[in-house]
Amino acid sequence: MACIVMALLFAIANSTDASESLQDGTNRNQHIIASNITQQEETSGYESSTLAEEISKELFSGKENTEIVMPENENKKSWHKLENYFSADLRILAYGVAQNPAESNRNPNNDFLEIPHYVTNTEIRPDFYFNSNYLDLSVKPRSTFQYNIWKEGMRDGDTDWNDDWYVNEWIARVKAWNKLFLSYGRENLQWGPSFLYSPSNPFFSDNGRSNNYMEVQGMDFARILFVPHLNWSISLIVNTDEGRNSLPNSEPFEKIYALKVDYTGINGYASLIYSRKDSSQSNKIGFFGGWTASDALLLYTESSVQNGSDAWYPVTDSSLFGASLQQVHQDDDDVTPTILVGGAYTFLNSGTLTLEYLYNGPGYDRDEANLSFSTLKRAADAYDSLMKSAESDSEKEELADSLQEYLSSQNTDPGLRFLRRNYAMLQYYQVNIRNRLAITLRWTQNIDDGSGQFFGLFSYQLGDHWDLFGSGIINAGNKNTEYGSILDYQGMLGLKLSL
Amino acid sequence: MVHKFNRQFLFILEFIFFILIFTFTAQAQVSPKEMLEKADEARGSYEGVEVTVTMESNELGRKQYRVMKVSEKGYNCFLDTLAPSNVKGQRILMRDRNLWYANPGLSKPVPVSPRQKLIGVAVNGDIVSTNYTRDYKIVSTQDSILKGEDCTLMNLEAVDKRTTYDRIKYWISKDRLVGVKGEFYTVSGKMFKSATFEYNNKITVNGKPRDFISKAIITSAIIKDDFTIIDYSKPVQKIIPDALFNVNLLTK
């Protein structure tokens, strides 16, 4: 009799485990399996439990080992099962920024870019997930509350409060046979190994790696991902809408179609991306690859070639200051390459040193950069002389408005992630220093104009939920350089709460 | 009648004797490589295992923990962090010798090296890279007794520079065919860390119960008080789809 009871209990326990195995989405025809933790604990001979064991038991207690289902508990069990499909995260970031706008021709007296001196920001970032065997859903709504204070230029003494509510990302993904994934939604679709820039990505110019605490705005994509083999995958991607991302100079959005083929081998990986813009019919071929040279050394490259360029270049014309930005290379047949090569070495202390070189083919050459900055200088000089000739504050504001009105009708954003052609980056990165601290120290050098940027980032864990984080930027270079013309410095300090 | 019974009894005895001899001979014939393969399996190198891993580390007096779900299939491993809250959602994917790291704050998966630190004394390679048979060659073996247990002490050397450690001294129990202790050395020949392993979990493979790792205690050889305890619980063998190891699906 006892044997029969034991056999029944064993059968129930096994069927419970088997059904749970089916739930978590891996495979129907499972060949299984199951080790019963209760049995293990009885036979394990553990006499003392570590903190880790206690945490583990607490986290998972009652979730998986429901051996016997009594009728009155059936609803509860169903609810537990359903509960397992849902998950959510919440991150709240509160931070302050202090920054000093550079006194430059690009932004004389800070009257054009109107960069606030102080910014306080609170961002509420909940993420909601539903994950089942056949369907994944996620939505990432965002709320931001920002308070700005100006200390430079015409807006000296101004303050401004604004709030923004939006959905930065959402996705619905259908899974078929664990090999085919069809999805639609707003995503921040990124790939590639590089830090500075991901030229192989035809959709996003910002790869989001400059500051991990800042989110890249999502765009709308329809995707089909086919995984025929462990080593291979093929993606068909359509960028259907610009979503929250905006194009430079209010350009109209163009759909982009892309085919991406990924291969992962034993010591390396490679991907090829072909993309085509819907209306302009311009083509781009992207590539990235990486090689695990040793347990400490990673080498990688990321590149693209395209016909012409959609960027805006300075062209001498009869406009007010003698030149304006125009898309003059859009229909060029010449192939423009962008090539990034990099390597990362991890020391025994786990710190990682990364070095990258970027050749940015669409960037300005010396003549184009000179024309761009000389035009800006003429505009800035004209602005200065007009301001000096003004006799009252109201007249100054009127003059500034009229010039701003003229300049706002001009194309001012070149649409280039990097303005010039040759860049280098050196970065040191280390996590879990004394189990608490993570740091990133980065120097980016514009080789062509000699300007550079130092970026430092740290985060310090204050328990299981709180992180203190901060970043600092110091730009070096004169007024007529890329890094010297916008900000002198920027400092940020904040707290992150994770639930 | 008695004579017939004696003949039957003798036959049974001979049969039992034959079986015992065969069993002992078979066990004695387990080659060092086979021992290493079995020891790898017991640390997770099966064709499809899912296990909950809880790590507790002490580094210079500061404690930290992680709870992770780890899915392994051959040379591939997917690690999803479940707790604490401020690292929840961090993921590590190993595809052969390629590793990527993703977290909810990062917009894309970042390639990382096996040497990069995970928590405390443990590096990524300690959790995701369990296949010593592929990554190391057996240079020599010798008999050794560890805590009263007959062991084979194997001197392992990395087959190339892509492994987490340059050299490992690895004690494998002769009886249980599981690795019970390891000492890990750098290129310079210095012992970098040591680890002990316990196997109180069971996993059923093709209907047969097998020992499965339940705890690893990794201790720094440089700072003696620094350690990381890795607990493995709820191991389940299952068929894991290839797509789980696809980097395109790594970010949440």
Side-chain angles (χ1 to χ4, degrees), chain A residues 155-175:
Chain A
R155 296 198 69 178
D156 183 14
D158 273 8
T159 60
D160 177 38
W161 164 267
N162 60 65
D163 59 282
D164 199 4
W165 304 72
Y166 57 92
V167 175
N168 194 39
E169 292 182 57
W170 65 270
I171 192 169
R173 180 190 290 140
V174 178
K175 296 183 259 188

mmCIF file with all atom_site columns, all heavy atoms in Angstrom, chain A residues 155-175:
data_model
loop_
_atom_site.group_PDB
_atom_site.id
_atom_site.type_symbol
_atom_site.label_atom_id
_atom_site.label_alt_id
_atom_site.label_comp_id
_atom_site.label_asym_id
_atom_site.label_entity_id
_atom_site.label_seq_id
_atom_site.pdbx_PDB_ins_code
_atom_site.Cartn_x
_atom_site.Cartn_y
_atom_site.Cartn_z
_atom_site.occupancy
_atom_site.B_iso_or_equiv
_atom_site.pdbx_formal_charge
_atom_site.auth_seq_id
_atom_site.auth_comp_id
_atom_site.auth_asym_id
_atom_site.auth_atom_id
_atom_site.pdbx_PDB_model_num
ATOM 1   N N   . ARG A 1 155 ? 18.786 84.089 -22.129 1.00 0.00 ? 155 ARG A N   1
ATOM 2   C CA  . ARG A 1 155 ? 17.869 83.416 -21.201 1.00 0.00 ? 155 ARG A CA  1
ATOM 3   C C   . ARG A 1 155 ? 18.417 83.367 -19.774 1.00 0.00 ? 155 ARG A C   1
ATOM 4   O O   . ARG A 1 155 ? 17.902 82.619 -18.942 1.00 0.00 ? 155 ARG A O   1
ATOM 5   C CB  . ARG A 1 155 ? 17.562 82.004 -21.691 1.00 0.00 ? 155 ARG A CB  1
ATOM 6   C CG  . ARG A 1 155 ? 16.820 81.989 -23.005 1.00 0.00 ? 155 ARG A CG  1
ATOM 7   C CD  . ARG A 1 155 ? 16.154 80.659 -23.255 1.00 0.00 ? 155 ARG A CD  1
ATOM 8   N NE  . ARG A 1 155 ? 15.041 80.422 -22.331 1.00 0.00 ? 155 ARG A NE  1
ATOM 9   C CZ  . ARG A 1 155 ? 14.268 79.344 -22.373 1.00 0.00 ? 155 ARG A CZ  1
ATOM 10  N NH1 . ARG A 1 155 ? 14.486 78.426 -23.287 1.00 0.00 ? 155 ARG A NH1 1
ATOM 11  N NH2 . ARG A 1 155 ? 13.274 79.179 -21.513 1.00 0.00 ? 155 ARG A NH2 1
ATOM 12  N N   . ASP A 1 156 ? 19.452 84.159 -19.523 1.00 0.00 ? 156 ASP A N   1
ATOM 13  C CA  . ASP A 1 156 ? 20.041 84.189 -18.182 1.00 0.00 ? 156 ASP A CA  1
ATOM 14  C C   . ASP A 1 156 ? 18.949 84.461 -17.136 1.00 0.00 ? 156 ASP A C   1
ATOM 15  O O   . ASP A 1 156 ? 18.214 85.442 -17.241 1.00 0.00 ? 156 ASP A O   1
ATOM 16  C CB  . ASP A 1 156 ? 21.117 85.283 -18.136 1.00 0.00 ? 156 ASP A CB  1
ATOM 17  C CG  . ASP A 1 156 ? 21.811 85.316 -16.776 1.00 0.00 ? 156 ASP A CG  1
ATOM 18  O OD1 . ASP A 1 156 ? 21.652 84.349 -16.011 1.00 0.00 ? 156 ASP A OD1 1
ATOM 19  O OD2 . ASP A 1 156 ? 22.503 86.309 -16.497 1.00 0.00 ? 156 ASP A OD2 1
ATOM 20  N N   . GLY A 1 157 ? 18.852 83.583 -16.157 1.00 0.00 ? 157 GLY A N   1
ATOM 21  C CA  . GLY A 1 157 ? 17.842 83.765 -15.102 1.00 0.00 ? 157 GLY A CA  1
ATOM 22  C C   . GLY A 1 157 ? 16.536 83.053 -15.385 1.00 0.00 ? 157 GLY A C   1
ATOM 23  O O   . GLY A 1 157 ? 15.700 82.920 -14.486 1.00 0.00 ? 157 GLY A O   1
ATOM 24  N N   . ASP A 1 158 ? 16.350 82.576 -16.627 1.00 0.00 ? 158 ASP A N   1
ATOM 25  C CA  . ASP A 1 158 ? 15.105 81.862 -16.958 1.00 0.00 ? 158 ASP A CA  1
ATOM 26  C C   . ASP A 1 158 ? 15.069 80.501 -16.288 1.00 0.00 ? 158 ASP A C   1
ATOM 27  O O   . ASP A 1 158 ? 16.109 79.869 -16.069 1.00 0.00 ? 158 ASP A O   1
ATOM 28  C CB  . ASP A 1 158 ? 15.021 81.614 -18.466 1.00 0.00 ? 158 ASP A CB  1
ATOM 29  C CG  . ASP A 1 158 ? 14.398 82.787 -19.195 1.00 0.00 ? 158 ASP A CG  1
ATOM 30  O OD1 . ASP A 1 158 ? 14.179 83.819 -18.546 1.00 0.00 ? 158 ASP A OD1 1
ATOM 31  O OD2 . ASP A 1 158 ? 14.166 82.655 -20.414 1.00 0.00 ? 158 ASP A OD2 1
ATOM 32  N N   . THR A 1 159 ? 13.875 80.050 -16.009 1.00 0.00 ? 159 THR A N   1
ATOM 33  C CA  . THR A 1 159 ? 13.685 78.670 -15.553 1.00 0.00 ? 159 THR A CA  1
ATOM 34  C C   . THR A 1 159 ? 12.566 78.059 -16.380 1.00 0.00 ? 159 THR A C   1
ATOM 35  O O   . THR A 1 159 ? 11.741 78.777 -16.953 1.00 0.00 ? 159 THR A O   1
ATOM 36  C CB  . THR A 1 159 ? 13.314 78.598 -14.061 1.00 0.00 ? 159 THR A CB  1
ATOM 37  O OG1 . THR A 1 159 ? 12.098 79.327 -13.867 1.00 0.00 ? 159 THR A OG1 1
ATOM 38  C CG2 . THR A 1 159 ? 14.418 79.163 -13.190 1.00 0.00 ? 159 THR A CG2 1
ATOM 39  N N   . ASP A 1 160 ? 12.563 76.762 -16.421 1.00 0.00 ? 160 ASP A N   1
ATOM 40  C CA  . ASP A 1 160 ? 11.553 76.101 -17.240 1.00 0.00 ? 160 ASP A CA  1
ATOM 41  C C   . ASP A 1 160 ? 11.259 74.730 -16.642 1.00 0.00 ? 160 ASP A C   1
ATOM 42  O O   . ASP A 1 160 ? 12.169 74.013 -16.219 1.00 0.00 ? 160 ASP A O   1
ATOM 43  C CB  . ASP A 1 160 ? 12.102 75.949 -18.674 1.00 0.00 ? 160 ASP A CB  1
ATOM 44  C CG  . ASP A 1 160 ? 11.141 75.218 -19.573 1.00 0.00 ? 160 ASP A CG  1
ATOM 45  O OD1 . ASP A 1 160 ? 9.942  75.451 -19.434 1.00 0.00 ? 160 ASP A OD1 1
ATOM 46  O OD2 . ASP A 1 160 ? 11.608 74.402 -20.402 1.00 0.00 ? 160 ASP A OD2 1
ATOM 47  N N   . TRP A 1 161 ? 10.005 74.388 -16.575 1.00 0.00 ? 161 TRP A N   1
ATOM 48  C CA  . TRP A 1 161 ? 9.578  73.091 -16.042 1.00 0.00 ? 161 TRP A CA  1
ATOM 49  C C   . TRP A 1 161 ? 8.826  72.358 -17.145 1.00 0.00 ? 161 TRP A C   1
ATOM 50  O O   . TRP A 1 161 ? 7.976  72.948 -17.792 1.00 0.00 ? 161 TRP A O   1
ATOM 51  C CB  . TRP A 1 161 ? 8.671  73.318 -14.827 1.00 0.00 ? 161 TRP A CB  1
ATOM 52  C CG  . TRP A 1 161 ? 7.883  72.100 -14.448 1.00 0.00 ? 161 TRP A CG  1
ATOM 53  C CD1 . TRP A 1 161 ? 6.619  71.777 -14.850 1.00 0.00 ? 161 TRP A CD1 1
ATOM 54  C CD2 . TRP A 1 161 ? 8.328  71.033 -13.624 1.00 0.00 ? 161 TRP A CD2 1
ATOM 55  N NE1 . TRP A 1 161 ? 6.245  70.588 -14.319 1.00 0.00 ? 161 TRP A NE1 1
ATOM 56  C CE2 . TRP A 1 161 ? 7.273  70.083 -13.551 1.00 0.00 ? 161 TRP A CE2 1
ATOM 57  C CE3 . TRP A 1 161 ? 9.509  70.771 -12.925 1.00 0.00 ? 161 TRP A CE3 1
ATOM 58  C CZ2 . TRP A 1 161 ? 7.366  68.911 -12.825 1.00 0.00 ? 161 TRP A CZ2 1
ATOM 59  C CZ3 . TRP A 1 161 ? 9.594  69.600 -12.196 1.00 0.00 ? 161 TRP A CZ3 1
ATOM 60  C CH2 . TRP A 1 161 ? 8.534  68.690 -12.147 1.00 0.00 ? 161 TRP A CH2 1
ATOM 61  N N   . ASN A 1 162 ? 9.161  71.127 -17.389 1.00 0.00 ? 162 ASN A N   1
ATOM 62  C CA  . ASN A 1 162 ? 8.343  70.363 -18.334 1.00 0.00 ? 162 ASN A CA  1
ATOM 63  C C   . ASN A 1 162 ? 8.302  68.887 -17.960 1.00 0.00 ? 162 ASN A C   1
ATOM 64  O O   . ASN A 1 162 ? 9.201  68.375 -17.287 1.00 0.00 ? 162 ASN A O   1
ATOM 65  C CB  . ASN A 1 162 ? 8.804  70.563 -19.779 1.00 0.00 ? 162 ASN A CB  1
ATOM 66  C CG  . ASN A 1 162 ? 10.230 70.142 -19.993 1.00 0.00 ? 162 ASN A CG  1
ATOM 67  O OD1 . ASN A 1 162 ? 10.531 68.961 -19.868 1.00 0.00 ? 162 ASN A OD1 1
ATOM 68  N ND2 . ASN A 1 162 ? 11.104 71.088 -20.297 1.00 0.00 ? 162 ASN A ND2 1
ATOM 69  N N   . ASP A 1 163 ? 7.237  68.265 -18.384 1.00 0.00 ? 163 ASP A N   1
ATOM 70  C CA  . ASP A 1 163 ? 7.112  66.826 -18.161 1.00 0.00 ? 163 ASP A CA  1
ATOM 71  C C   . ASP A 1 163 ? 6.741  66.151 -19.469 1.00 0.00 ? 163 ASP A C   1
ATOM 72  O O   . ASP A 1 163 ? 6.156  66.767 -20.354 1.00 0.00 ? 163 ASP A O   1
ATOM 73  C CB  . ASP A 1 163 ? 6.073  66.524 -17.073 1.00 0.00 ? 163 ASP A CB  1
ATOM 74  C CG  . ASP A 1 163 ? 4.703  67.051 -17.431 1.00 0.00 ? 163 ASP A CG  1
ATOM 75  O OD1 . ASP A 1 163 ? 4.494  68.278 -17.281 1.00 0.00 ? 163 ASP A OD1 1
ATOM 76  O OD2 . ASP A 1 163 ? 3.870  66.257 -17.881 1.00 0.00 ? 163 ASP A OD2 1
ATOM 77  N N   . ASP A 1 164 ? 7.115  64.908 -19.593 1.00 0.00 ? 164 ASP A N   1
ATOM 78  C CA  . ASP A 1 164 ? 6.892  64.182 -20.838 1.00 0.00 ? 164 ASP A CA  1
ATOM 79  C C   . ASP A 1 164 ? 6.453  62.762 -20.493 1.00 0.00 ? 164 ASP A C   1
ATOM 80  O O   . ASP A 1 164 ? 7.041  62.127 -19.619 1.00 0.00 ? 164 ASP A O   1
ATOM 81  C CB  . ASP A 1 164 ? 8.212  64.160 -21.641 1.00 0.00 ? 164 ASP A CB  1
ATOM 82  C CG  . ASP A 1 164 ? 7.978  63.860 -23.099 1.00 0.00 ? 164 ASP A CG  1
ATOM 83  O OD1 . ASP A 1 164 ? 6.801  63.740 -23.502 1.00 0.00 ? 164 ASP A OD1 1
ATOM 84  O OD2 . ASP A 1 164 ? 8.978  63.747 -23.849 1.00 0.00 ? 164 ASP A OD2 1
ATOM 85  N N   . TRP A 1 165 ? 5.431  62.310 -21.159 1.00 0.00 ? 165 TRP A N   1
ATOM 86  C CA  . TRP A 1 165 ? 4.893  60.960 -20.925 1.00 0.00 ? 165 TRP A CA  1
ATOM 87  C C   . TRP A 1 165 ? 4.849  60.251 -22.263 1.00 0.00 ? 165 TRP A C   1
ATOM 88  O O   . TRP A 1 165 ? 4.241  60.751 -23.200 1.00 0.00 ? 165 TRP A O   1
ATOM 89  C CB  . TRP A 1 165 ? 3.476  61.038 -20.330 1.00 0.00 ? 165 TRP A CB  1
ATOM 90  C CG  . TRP A 1 165 ? 3.408  61.836 -19.064 1.00 0.00 ? 165 TRP A CG  1
ATOM 91  C CD1 . TRP A 1 165 ? 3.520  63.188 -18.945 1.00 0.00 ? 165 TRP A CD1 1
ATOM 92  C CD2 . TRP A 1 165 ? 3.246  61.333 -17.748 1.00 0.00 ? 165 TRP A CD2 1
ATOM 93  N NE1 . TRP A 1 165 ? 3.426  63.562 -17.629 1.00 0.00 ? 165 TRP A NE1 1
ATOM 94  C CE2 . TRP A 1 165 ? 3.248  62.433 -16.861 1.00 0.00 ? 165 TRP A CE2 1
ATOM 95  C CE3 . TRP A 1 165 ? 3.074  60.050 -17.209 1.00 0.00 ? 165 TRP A CE3 1
ATOM 96  C CZ2 . TRP A 1 165 ? 3.103  62.295 -15.490 1.00 0.00 ? 165 TRP A CZ2 1
ATOM 97  C CZ3 . TRP A 1 165 ? 2.926  59.918 -15.844 1.00 0.00 ? 165 TRP A CZ3 1
ATOM 98  C CH2 . TRP A 1 165 ? 2.931  61.033 -15.003 1.00 0.00 ? 165 TRP A CH2 1
ATOM 99  N N   . TYR A 1 166 ? 5.463  59.120 -22.373 1.00 0.00 ? 166 TYR A N   1
ATOM 100 C CA  . TYR A 1 166 ? 5.503  58.438 -23.665 1.00 0.00 ? 166 TYR A CA  1
ATOM 101 C C   . TYR A 1 166 ? 5.849  56.957 -23.481 1.00 0.00 ? 166 TYR A C   1
ATOM 102 O O   . TYR A 1 166 ? 6.245  56.536 -22.400 1.00 0.00 ? 166 TYR A O   1
ATOM 103 C CB  . TYR A 1 166 ? 6.533  59.098 -24.586 1.00 0.00 ? 166 TYR A CB  1
ATOM 104 C CG  . TYR A 1 166 ? 7.931  59.151 -24.018 1.00 0.00 ? 166 TYR A CG  1
ATOM 105 C CD1 . TYR A 1 166 ? 8.854  58.143 -24.276 1.00 0.00 ? 166 TYR A CD1 1
ATOM 106 C CD2 . TYR A 1 166 ? 8.337  60.202 -23.193 1.00 0.00 ? 166 TYR A CD2 1
ATOM 107 C CE1 . TYR A 1 166 ? 10.134 58.184 -23.747 1.00 0.00 ? 166 TYR A CE1 1
ATOM 108 C CE2 . TYR A 1 166 ? 9.611  60.242 -22.655 1.00 0.00 ? 166 TYR A CE2 1
ATOM 109 C CZ  . TYR A 1 166 ? 10.501 59.232 -22.935 1.00 0.00 ? 166 TYR A CZ  1
ATOM 110 O OH  . TYR A 1 166 ? 11.771 59.264 -22.390 1.00 0.00 ? 166 TYR A OH  1
ATOM 111 N N   . VAL A 1 167 ? 5.688  56.221 -24.565 1.00 0.00 ? 167 VAL A N   1
ATOM 112 C CA  . VAL A 1 167 ? 6.128  54.813 -24.579 1.00 0.00 ? 167 VAL A CA  1
ATOM 113 C C   . VAL A 1 167 ? 7.376  54.772 -25.456 1.00 0.00 ? 167 VAL A C   1
ATOM 114 O O   . VAL A 1 167 ? 7.309  55.015 -26.655 1.00 0.00 ? 167 VAL A O   1
ATOM 115 C CB  . VAL A 1 167 ? 5.031  53.875 -25.129 1.00 0.00 ? 167 VAL A CB  1
ATOM 116 C CG1 . VAL A 1 167 ? 5.555  52.441 -25.251 1.00 0.00 ? 167 VAL A CG1 1
ATOM 117 C CG2 . VAL A 1 167 ? 3.808  53.902 -24.228 1.00 0.00 ? 167 VAL A CG2 1
ATOM 118 N N   . ASN A 1 168 ? 8.503  54.495 -24.837 1.00 0.00 ? 168 ASN A N   1
ATOM 119 C CA  . ASN A 1 168 ? 9.752  54.498 -25.609 1.00 0.00 ? 168 ASN A CA  1
ATOM 120 C C   . ASN A 1 168 ? 9.918  53.224 -26.416 1.00 0.00 ? 168 ASN A C   1
ATOM 121 O O   . ASN A 1 168 ? 10.452 53.252 -27.519 1.00 0.00 ? 168 ASN A O   1
ATOM 122 C CB  . ASN A 1 168 ? 10.955 54.675 -24.679 1.00 0.00 ? 168 ASN A CB  1
ATOM 123 C CG  . ASN A 1 168 ? 12.199 55.026 -25.454 1.00 0.00 ? 168 ASN A CG  1
ATOM 124 O OD1 . ASN A 1 168 ? 12.134 55.796 -26.412 1.00 0.00 ? 168 ASN A OD1 1
ATOM 125 N ND2 . ASN A 1 168 ? 13.326 54.460 -25.070 1.00 0.00 ? 168 ASN A ND2 1
ATOM 126 N N   . GLU A 1 169 ? 9.483  52.105 -25.846 1.00 0.00 ? 169 GLU A N   1
ATOM 127 C CA  . GLU A 1 169 ? 9.591  50.834 -26.564 1.00 0.00 ? 169 GLU A CA  1
ATOM 128 C C   . GLU A 1 169 ? 8.389  49.959 -26.243 1.00 0.00 ? 169 GLU A C   1
ATOM 129 O O   . GLU A 1 169 ? 7.881  49.981 -25.117 1.00 0.00 ? 169 GLU A O   1
ATOM 130 C CB  . GLU A 1 169 ? 10.864 50.080 -26.160 1.00 0.00 ? 169 GLU A CB  1
ATOM 131 C CG  . GLU A 1 169 ? 12.150 50.740 -26.612 1.00 0.00 ? 169 GLU A CG  1
ATOM 132 C CD  . GLU A 1 169 ? 13.379 49.907 -26.230 1.00 0.00 ? 169 GLU A CD  1
ATOM 133 O OE1 . GLU A 1 169 ? 13.442 48.748 -26.634 1.00 0.00 ? 169 GLU A OE1 1
ATOM 134 O OE2 . GLU A 1 169 ? 14.230 50.443 -25.512 1.00 0.00 ? 169 GLU A OE2 1
ATOM 135 N N   . TRP A 1 170 ? 7.950  49.192 -27.213 1.00 0.00 ? 170 TRP A N   1
ATOM 136 C CA  . TRP A 1 170 ? 6.979  48.118 -26.983 1.00 0.00 ? 170 TRP A CA  1
ATOM 137 C C   . TRP A 1 170 ? 7.166  47.100 -28.092 1.00 0.00 ? 170 TRP A C   1
ATOM 138 O O   . TRP A 1 170 ? 7.656  47.438 -29.171 1.00 0.00 ? 170 TRP A O   1
ATOM 139 C CB  . TRP A 1 170 ? 5.538  48.640 -26.946 1.00 0.00 ? 170 TRP A CB  1
ATOM 140 C CG  . TRP A 1 170 ? 5.053  49.217 -28.248 1.00 0.00 ? 170 TRP A CG  1
ATOM 141 C CD1 . TRP A 1 170 ? 5.157  50.513 -28.655 1.00 0.00 ? 170 TRP A CD1 1
ATOM 142 C CD2 . TRP A 1 170 ? 4.407  48.510 -29.315 1.00 0.00 ? 170 TRP A CD2 1
ATOM 143 N NE1 . TRP A 1 170 ? 4.626  50.667 -29.912 1.00 0.00 ? 170 TRP A NE1 1
ATOM 144 C CE2 . TRP A 1 170 ? 4.148  49.449 -30.340 1.00 0.00 ? 170 TRP A CE2 1
ATOM 145 C CE3 . TRP A 1 170 ? 4.016  47.175 -29.510 1.00 0.00 ? 170 TRP A CE3 1
ATOM 146 C CZ2 . TRP A 1 170 ? 3.528  49.092 -31.534 1.00 0.00 ? 170 TRP A CZ2 1
ATOM 147 C CZ3 . TRP A 1 170 ? 3.388  46.822 -30.701 1.00 0.00 ? 170 TRP A CZ3 1
ATOM 148 C CH2 . TRP A 1 170 ? 3.145  47.774 -31.688 1.00 0.00 ? 170 TRP A CH2 1
ATOM 149 N N   . ILE A 1 171 ? 6.825  45.887 -27.816 1.00 0.00 ? 171 ILE A N   1
ATOM 150 C CA  . ILE A 1 171 ? 6.998  44.861 -28.849 1.00 0.00 ? 171 ILE A CA  1
ATOM 151 C C   . ILE A 1 171 ? 6.013  43.720 -28.632 1.00 0.00 ? 171 ILE A C   1
ATOM 152 O O   . ILE A 1 171 ? 5.666  43.384 -27.501 1.00 0.00 ? 171 ILE A O   1
ATOM 153 C CB  . ILE A 1 171 ? 8.457  44.334 -28.874 1.00 0.00 ? 171 ILE A CB  1
ATOM 154 C CG1 . ILE A 1 171 ? 8.716  43.492 -30.123 1.00 0.00 ? 171 ILE A CG1 1
ATOM 155 C CG2 . ILE A 1 171 ? 8.803  43.552 -27.635 1.00 0.00 ? 171 ILE A CG2 1
ATOM 156 C CD1 . ILE A 1 171 ? 10.157 43.162 -30.360 1.00 0.00 ? 171 ILE A CD1 1
ATOM 157 N N   . ALA A 1 172 ? 5.534  43.173 -29.733 1.00 0.00 ? 172 ALA A N   1
ATOM 158 C CA  . ALA A 1 172 ? 4.754  41.929 -29.717 1.00 0.00 ? 172 ALA A CA  1
ATOM 159 C C   . ALA A 1 172 ? 5.508  40.945 -30.597 1.00 0.00 ? 172 ALA A C   1
ATOM 160 O O   . ALA A 1 172 ? 5.777  41.235 -31.761 1.00 0.00 ? 172 ALA A O   1
ATOM 161 C CB  . ALA A 1 172 ? 3.354  42.177 -30.261 1.00 0.00 ? 172 ALA A CB  1
ATOM 162 N N   . ARG A 1 173 ? 5.883  39.827 -30.001 1.00 0.00 ? 173 ARG A N   1
ATOM 163 C CA  . ARG A 1 173 ? 6.685  38.851 -30.763 1.00 0.00 ? 173 ARG A CA  1
ATOM 164 C C   . ARG A 1 173 ? 6.023  37.482 -30.710 1.00 0.00 ? 173 ARG A C   1
ATOM 165 O O   . ARG A 1 173 ? 5.717  36.969 -29.632 1.00 0.00 ? 173 ARG A O   1
ATOM 166 C CB  . ARG A 1 173 ? 8.092  38.749 -30.174 1.00 0.00 ? 173 ARG A CB  1
ATOM 167 C CG  . ARG A 1 173 ? 8.986  37.757 -30.910 1.00 0.00 ? 173 ARG A CG  1
ATOM 168 C CD  . ARG A 1 173 ? 10.269 37.512 -30.173 1.00 0.00 ? 173 ARG A CD  1
ATOM 169 N NE  . ARG A 1 173 ? 11.136 38.676 -30.202 1.00 0.00 ? 173 ARG A NE  1
ATOM 170 C CZ  . ARG A 1 173 ? 11.861 39.098 -29.177 1.00 0.00 ? 173 ARG A CZ  1
ATOM 171 N NH1 . ARG A 1 173 ? 11.815 38.458 -28.038 1.00 0.00 ? 173 ARG A NH1 1
ATOM 172 N NH2 . ARG A 1 173 ? 12.640 40.145 -29.294 1.00 0.00 ? 173 ARG A NH2 1
ATOM 173 N N   . VAL A 1 174 ? 5.774  36.931 -31.899 1.00 0.00 ? 174 VAL A N   1
ATOM 174 C CA  . VAL A 1 174 ? 5.185  35.596 -32.001 1.00 0.00 ? 174 VAL A CA  1
ATOM 175 C C   . VAL A 1 174 ? 6.301  34.607 -32.300 1.00 0.00 ? 174 VAL A C   1
ATOM 176 O O   . VAL A 1 174 ? 7.140  34.851 -33.166 1.00 0.00 ? 174 VAL A O   1
ATOM 177 C CB  . VAL A 1 174 ? 4.122  35.552 -33.130 1.00 0.00 ? 174 VAL A CB  1
ATOM 178 C CG1 . VAL A 1 174 ? 3.553  34.146 -33.276 1.00 0.00 ? 174 VAL A CG1 1
ATOM 179 C CG2 . VAL A 1 174 ? 3.018  36.551 -32.853 1.00 0.00 ? 174 VAL A CG2 1
ATOM 180 N N   . LYS A 1 175 ? 6.293  33.492 -31.548 1.00 0.00 ? 175 LYS A N   1
ATOM 181 C CA  . LYS A 1 175 ? 7.342  32.486 -31.742 1.00 0.00 ? 175 LYS A CA  1
ATOM 182 C C   . LYS A 1 175 ? 6.731  31.263 -32.416 1.00 0.00 ? 175 LYS A C   1
ATOM 183 O O   . LYS A 1 175 ? 5.676  30.794 -32.005 1.00 0.00 ? 175 LYS A O   1
ATOM 184 C CB  . LYS A 1 175 ? 7.920  32.063 -30.391 1.00 0.00 ? 175 LYS A CB  1
ATOM 185 C CG  . LYS A 1 175 ? 8.624  33.173 -29.658 1.00 0.00 ? 175 LYS A CG  1
ATOM 186 C CD  . LYS A 1 175 ? 9.227  32.656 -28.372 1.00 0.00 ? 175 LYS A CD  1
ATOM 187 C CE  . LYS A 1 175 ? 8.382  33.017 -27.189 1.00 0.00 ? 175 LYS A CE  1
ATOM 188 N NZ  . LYS A 1 175 ? 8.991  32.713 -25.901 1.00 0.00 ? 175 LYS A NZ  1
#
